[in-house]
Amino acid sequence: MIYMDHSATSPVKKEVFEVMKPYLKESYGNASTFYSLGREAKVAMENARENVAKLIGANPEEIIFTSGGTESDNIAIQGIAYKLQSKGKHIITSSIEHPAVIETCKGLENKGFKVSYLPVYKNGIIKISDLKKAIADETILITIMHANNEIGTIQPIAEIGEVAKKHDIKFHCDGVQSVGKIPVDVNKLNVDLLSVSAHKLHGPKGVGALYIKKGTKLKPILFGGGQENDLSPGTENIPGIVGLAKACEIAKLELENNFTYLTNLQEKLIDGVLDNIEESYLNGDREKRLPGNVNFRFTGIEGESIVLMLDSKGIAGSTGSACSSKKLTPSHVLKAIGLEDLDSHGSLRLTIGMENNEEEVITVIEEIKSIVETLRSMSPLWKKK
Amino acid sequence: MYTEKVMDHFTNPRNVGEIENADGEGTVGNPTCGDVMTIYIKVKDNVLEDIKFKTFGCGAAIATSSMITELAIGKTIEEALKITKNHVAEALEGLPKTKMHCSNLAADALKAAIENYKSKK
């Protein structure tokens, strides 16, 4: 199988799995207990906190562990909103956020908050001038993702952070797709809160982290035994946390090398498809893009059928087509970059990872070419000139 | 998510293509929901002698198109008009709930082609 869906999830690295194992078996203690088994877990967790912090240039005490990206986004956004609602009830976000952010914002709209969704234009990137215009006296929070999960576009986070700082507005960034793939330094990016997910960077599923800049106060949205500064209560997922930390440690060491490797394969895949298939297009900005992410569209054919056919050839990819979504609406991201409904149905996302190689990229290009031909020959919307 | 039967008809669709000088042609669907299908029919002595289709859409859209050609070829016009969405879905051993309405358009497309044939007579 050729797996090219790393933005959906990535395989757990062998080294990561190895460090997790003892915490599932021998060292299974509850980190909140005081006997040696529990203390062992606690020590492992605090070491893990250091490794996660290092990857993003934070201090360990600024990191809390969560159950993943979605929980991190919820704790951050709702936490700020409810903490600061006496100051104002306005939030600014972008129109291409992950559902974990968009749906949280919509939930807050139902609670009387006002949310501005910044446009992203054809290249999939917001404009700082739009952000400045959207800021009002009541604005308490800006939440904008670092890299988009569908089209991989990278937002000008440092500049957004500067604007937020100047206006004394809290800034949360969903870093789920970017952390471990491109340099992320919370101080350089001027963020107050940053969400991290383990399984996107070769860690296990069900664990993530939230960076909370020192002095940033959040109102808890989950209630329980007080773990993680009262913000993410529940018995700590030590195997997951240890796995996340190992994944972060490896990502930090390999970041530069991986960036070059993935960018090279990405370029080959983009050129190979665009040069060999007529009326094929790349969605989103070509330069300001996550390494390894490609998102194509092909006139006259539909995305789910492309993905199904790729699967039958042993290639795993994904689509933003409505037909594959549970809601049957076209991807909000492709809509936001101005694609007509028909075009947004023809999208194919491939996200390359470190296990992929050039040979696989060549195979994928050939298979896509033949699949596109097959589907076009069946399509009433593709008229050969 | 799809039954084996759906995958079979998706991977090896029956009767894909166009019929030149078709006796009837019907197109249904809409680009917003992501499915458009055209069905061509050839009629002889009130019997559907040949049916072909072209479909833009997901796996379910293609499989239902393929299936309806199998169900309807050799049937009289009256028999063919009795084929419903549910018949197509049953013949495919079921469709995911979300696909029942959006992508299960083949029966409508066949009806449209037959109407077109009748209007020409």
Side-chain angles (χ1 to χ4, degrees):
Chain A
M1 189 195 54
I2 301 177
Y3 184 78
M4 286 202 185
D5 204 14
H6 289 81
S7 280
T9 192
S10 59
V12 171
K13 270 197 163 76
K14 192 174 172 290
E15 304 93 302
V16 171
F17 181 56
E18 290 305 324
V19 299
M20 289 174 70
K21 272 201 295 199
Y23 295 97
L24 288 160
K25 293 169 84 184
E26 306 87 46
S27 309
Y28 52 81
N30 183 325
S32 303
T33 56
F34 292 103
Y35 41 81
S36 61
L37 200 63
R39 287 200 305 269
E40 235 173 78
K42 181 85 182 157
V43 168
M45 188 167 80
E46 294 320 316
N47 289 339
R49 214 182 291 279
E50 253 174 62
N51 271 327
V52 175
K54 266 187 203 157
L55 177 63
I56 58 171
N59 293 315
E61 61 273 19
E62 293 173 311
I63 301 293
I64 64 160
F65 293 112
T66 67
S67 70
T70 296
E71 193 190 308
S72 296
D73 289 341
N74 271 273
I75 292 173
I77 296 168
Q78 294 191 54
I80 289 288
Y82 290 126
K83 186 77 194 174
L84 299 181
Q85 57 180 334
S86 60
K87 267 181 76 182
K89 291 184 113 179
H90 180 233
I91 296 166
I92 299 171
T93 186
S94 86
S95 48
I96 60 166
E97 295 298 310
H98 187 275
V101 169
I102 291 199
E103 295 303 319
T104 303
C105 286
K106 283 190 186 157
L108 287 168
E109 281 181 291
N110 292 335
K111 303 270 182 195
F113 287 82
K114 257 180 67 191
V115 181
S116 302
Y117 299 86
L118 301 179
V120 292
Y121 305 95
K122 205 173 161 220
N123 64 356
I125 295 169
I126 68 138
K127 284 187 180 157
I128 295 294
S129 54
D130 287 335
L131 171 69
K132 286 181 180 164
K133 264 183 253 160
I135 292 174
D137 290 343
E138 305 78 45
T139 311
I140 48 166
L141 172 68
I142 298 170
T143 171
I144 290 176
M145 71 196 332
H146 197 180
N148 181 263
N149 49 305
E150 287 188 43
I151 54 174
T153 49
I154 297 169
Q155 302 299 334
I157 295 302
E159 283 175 71
I160 299 169
E162 228 169 87
V163 174
K165 210 185 217 172
K166 210 178 117 200
H167 289 84
D168 195 24
I169 298 166
K170 294 295 172 201
F171 179 31
H172 165 252
C173 175
D174 177 354
V176 164
Q177 292 290 343
S178 62
V179 170
K181 289 178 206 141
I182 55 174
V184 174
D185 183 311
V186 289
N187 296 309
K188 284 186 192 152
L189 293 179
N190 299 310
V191 297
D192 298 302
L193 302 124
L194 179 94
S195 302
V196 179
S197 165
H199 75 107
K200 308 288 189 189
L201 55 141
H202 301 282
K205 293 167 184 63
V207 62
L210 177 65
Y211 159 77
I212 306 168
K213 190 183 184 151
K214 203 174 171 210
T216 308
K217 298 267 185 293
L218 299 174
K219 194 161 166 94
I221 58 161
L222 296 165
F223 302 92
Q227 291 91 340
E228 298 304 280
N229 294 339
D230 265 337
L231 290 168
S232 181
T235 302
E236 298 89 342
N237 171 8
I238 304 298
I241 288 167
V242 167
L244 163 66
K246 189 68 185 175
C248 286
E249 189 191 329
I250 298 170
K252 188 171 166 59
L253 286 171
E254 296 180 349
L255 194 99
E256 220 170 300
N257 185 28
N258 293 2
F259 186 94
T260 314
Y261 182 81
L262 293 174
T263 305
N264 177 42
L265 290 185
Q266 176 186 34
E267 290 294 306
K268 288 207 160 70
L269 182 53
I270 294 173
D271 286 336
V273 166
L274 299 187
D275 293 349
N276 289 299
I277 303 174
E278 59 175 320
E279 292 196 41
S280 60
Y281 308 91
L282 183 72
N283 294 321
D285 195 271
R286 178 150 184 177
E287 304 298 325
K288 289 175 189 135
R289 193 176 192 102
L290 216 52
N293 170 293
V294 300
N295 191 308
F296 297 116
R297 68 178 191 277
F298 305 96
T299 310
I301 59 175
E302 194 273 336
E304 189 201 275
S305 48
I306 307 174
V307 168
L308 285 173
M309 284 206 172
L310 278 172
D311 181 41
S312 72
K313 306 281 180 189
I315 299 163
S318 69
T319 176
S321 169
C323 259
S324 71
S325 74
K326 289 193 181 96
K327 292 177 194 158
L328 296 173
T329 47
S331 144
H332 67 288
V333 177
L334 299 179
K335 234 182 149 84
I337 61 170
L339 293 193
E340 298 293 328
D341 282 344
L342 197 58
D343 284 331
S344 71
H345 284 294
S347 77
L348 170 69
R349 180 188 76 174
L350 296 171
T351 40
I352 304 166
M354 290 306 292
E355 330 83 70
N356 296 128
N357 57 44
E358 202 171 327
E359 207 179 308
E360 290 179 336
V361 168
I362 292 165
T363 307
V364 167
I365 295 166
E366 281 167 7
E367 293 294 356
I368 293 175
K369 190 169 187 284
S370 103
I371 288 167
V372 170
E373 267 169 35
T374 306
L375 288 171
R376 277 179 175 168
S377 74
M378 293 166 60
S379 170
L381 304 179
W382 179 254
K383 303 277 187 244
K384 200 97 179 99
K385 286 135 218 154
Chain B
M1 155 184 170
Y2 286 134
T3 65
E4 268 179 45
K5 198 99 187 178
V6 171
M7 284 313 292
D8 174 38
H9 277 263
F10 169 73
T11 321
N12 309 296
R14 282 62 145 176
N15 306 303
V16 185
E18 294 172 26
I19 296 177
E20 265 184 57
N21 307 316
D23 296 321
E25 183 186 327
T27 298
V28 296
N30 103 50
T32 315
C33 65
D35 295 296
V36 179
M37 58 181 80
T38 304
I39 284 195
Y40 305 86
I41 55 170
K42 196 88 192 158
V43 185
K44 198 180 172 190
D45 302 332
N46 200 42
V47 169
L48 291 167
E49 196 182 30
D50 195 14
I51 307 176
K52 290 218 180 319
F53 78 89
K54 280 208 157 180
T55 293
F56 164 93
C58 61
I62 290 172
T64 53
S65 311
S66 167
M67 180 49 87
I68 204 146
T69 65
E70 282 207 331
L71 292 175
I73 287 177
K75 296 258 162 55
T76 64
I77 295 287
E78 293 71 31
E79 286 167 342
L81 282 171
K82 284 184 192 146
I83 301 172
T84 65
K85 286 172 187 250
N86 284 339
H87 292 139
V88 178
E90 272 166 34
L92 287 166
E93 288 162 7
L95 281 176
K97 220 174 169 185
T98 51
K99 305 275 182 175
M100 269 307 281
H101 298 289
C102 79
S103 312
N104 191 0
L105 297 167
D108 295 341
L110 179 63
K111 275 194 188 81
I114 292 173
E115 292 306 323
N116 176 250
Y117 161 71
K118 284 181 171 171
S119 73
K120 281 191 198 167
K121 277 211 298 185

